[in-house]
Amino acid sequence: EAQVTQNPRYLITVTGKKLTVTCSQNMNHEYMSWYRQDPGLGLRQIYYSMNVEVTDKGDVPEGYKVSRKEKRNFPLILESPSPNQTSLYFCASSYNTATGGYTFGSGTRLTVV
Amino acid sequence: ILNVEQSPQSLHVQEGDSTNFTCSFPSSNFYALHWYRWETAKSPEALFVMTLNGDEKKKGRISATLNTKEGYSYLYIKGSQPEDSATYLCARDTDKLIFGTGTRLQVFP
C-alpha cells in the first residue's frame, strides 16, 4: 500500500531531551516536507526536501533539523525540545507538487513538558 | 494579498444544500494551487492540483476553478452530504507549499 509512515503517533517528552520523529514513504517520491499544525495557524512548513541531500528551510525552521540521506526517509530532529514545540506534526511527500498533491502521514502529536 | 487566505472560516449547511468557498493567494510566481480535504482525526487528503488559469477540476459532487490572474480559486460542493463535513484547505505552490487556515464545513442531516 502506498503510504507515508510517521512514528511515533504520540509522544510526551521533557524540555531539552533530544528526540527524532521518523518519516518514511514507499512511493519513490522526490519531494518531502514537514509541517506543524497549531490551532488558528493552519499548517506551517518547517523544512522541505526536493531530493536526496537537498533540504531547505520552510517558514518555521527554528529548533528543528532534518536530513535526507535516502529518498524514502526524512526524519525530523528536535535537538533540545521546548514547550512551544508542542504541536501536531505531519510529514508529507509528493512525486511532483505541480501535478500531484502531497500524501500526508498520520501525524505525530508531540507534547513537551 | 501576501498570504493564502480562505473564506469563510466556517460554514454550516443543511444536507442537500450546495455551497462554495474561496481561496485567495498572491498571483505572482505561481506554480500550482492545491485543494485538500481534512477530516477530524485524519490526515489531509489531496482533492485537486490546478496549474493553468481557467482550470476547472471535478471529482464527484466537488469541483474547483482557478483564476491565476486575479489570484483566487473557488471550491464548490453540490448537494452537500454529512460525510462532506471536514476542513477544506487550499495551498499555493511556489518552491514550497503554503497553506491557508482552511474552511471548516459542517453539514447537518
Side-chain angles (χ1 to χ4, degrees), chain B residues 56-67:
Chain B
E56 289 188 31
K57 296 272 177 106
K58 188 174 180 183
K59 187 183 287 189
R61 293 178 292 98
I62 304 177
S63 60
T65 60
L66 178 66
N67 183 321

Side-chain angles (χ1 to χ4, degrees), chain A residues 9 35 37 40-43 45 48 50 57-59 88 90 97-107, chain B residues 31-32 34 36 38 41-46 48-51 57 89 93-101:
Chain A
R9 289 291 306 273
Y35 289 87
Q37 160 69 21
L41 295 177
L43 285 166
Q45 193 175 47
Y48 64 103
M50 290 192 281
K57 294 178 181 178
D59 295 318
L88 177 60
F90 285 102
T97 59
T99 57
Y102 269 118
T103 300
F104 280 81
S106 308
Chain B
Y31 291 169
H34 296 221
Y36 291 81
W38 191 1
K42 294 188 177 179
S43 305
E45 290 182 358
F48 306 116
V49 177
M50 296 183 289
T51 55
K57 296 272 177 106
L89 299 171
D93 191 0
T94 55
D95 55 351
K96 49 188 180 180
L97 208 57
I98 307 294
F99 282 85
T101 52

Side-chain angles (χ1 to χ4, degrees), chain A residues 36 62-64 78 80-87 89 110-112:
Chain A
R36 60 178 288 175
E62 294 77 22
Y64 304 96
L78 285 73
S80 182
S82 62
N84 65 11
Q85 292 178 299
T86 293
S87 188
Y89 291 86
L110 172 66
T111 303
V112 184

Side-chain angles (χ1 to χ4, degrees), chain A residues 58-70:
Chain A
D59 295 318
V60 288
E62 294 77 22
Y64 304 96
K65 283 173 59 176
V66 292
S67 68
R68 188 93 183 272
K69 295 190 173 68
E70 310 161 278

Side-chain angles (χ1 to χ4, degrees), chain A:
Chain A
E1 183 190 347
Q3 59 185 0
V4 176
T5 303
Q6 274 181 248
N7 279 299
R9 289 291 306 273
Y10 302 91
L11 179 60
I12 301 174
T13 190
V14 296
T15 299
K17 186 176 180 183
K18 180 179 178 179
L19 66 92
T20 299
V21 185
T22 63
C23 175
S24 180
Q25 51 92 5
N26 62 0
M27 297 166 281
N28 202 36
H29 285 171
E30 295 194 348
Y31 291 82
M32 296 188 76
S33 188
W34 277 102
Y35 289 87
R36 60 178 288 175
Q37 160 69 21
D38 300 293
L41 295 177
L43 285 166
R44 293 182 294 166
Q45 193 175 47
I46 304 169
Y47 269 95
Y48 64 103
S49 169
M50 290 192 281
N51 214 327
V52 175
E53 302 292 1
V54 179
T55 62
D56 263 306
K57 294 178 181 178
D59 295 318
V60 288
E62 294 77 22
Y64 304 96
K65 283 173 59 176
V66 292
S67 68
R68 188 93 183 272
K69 295 190 173 68
E70 310 161 278
K71 202 173 198 179
R72 61 185 292 126
N73 295 323
F74 191 44
L76 180 70
I77 303 155
L78 285 73
E79 294 271 2
S80 182
S82 62
N84 65 11
Q85 292 178 299
T86 293
S87 188
L88 177 60
Y89 291 86
F90 285 102
C91 179
S93 73
S94 175
Y95 181 71
N96 182 332
T97 59
T99 57
Y102 269 118
T103 300
F104 280 81
S106 308
T108 295
R109 187 164 290 282
L110 172 66
T111 303
V112 184
V113 297

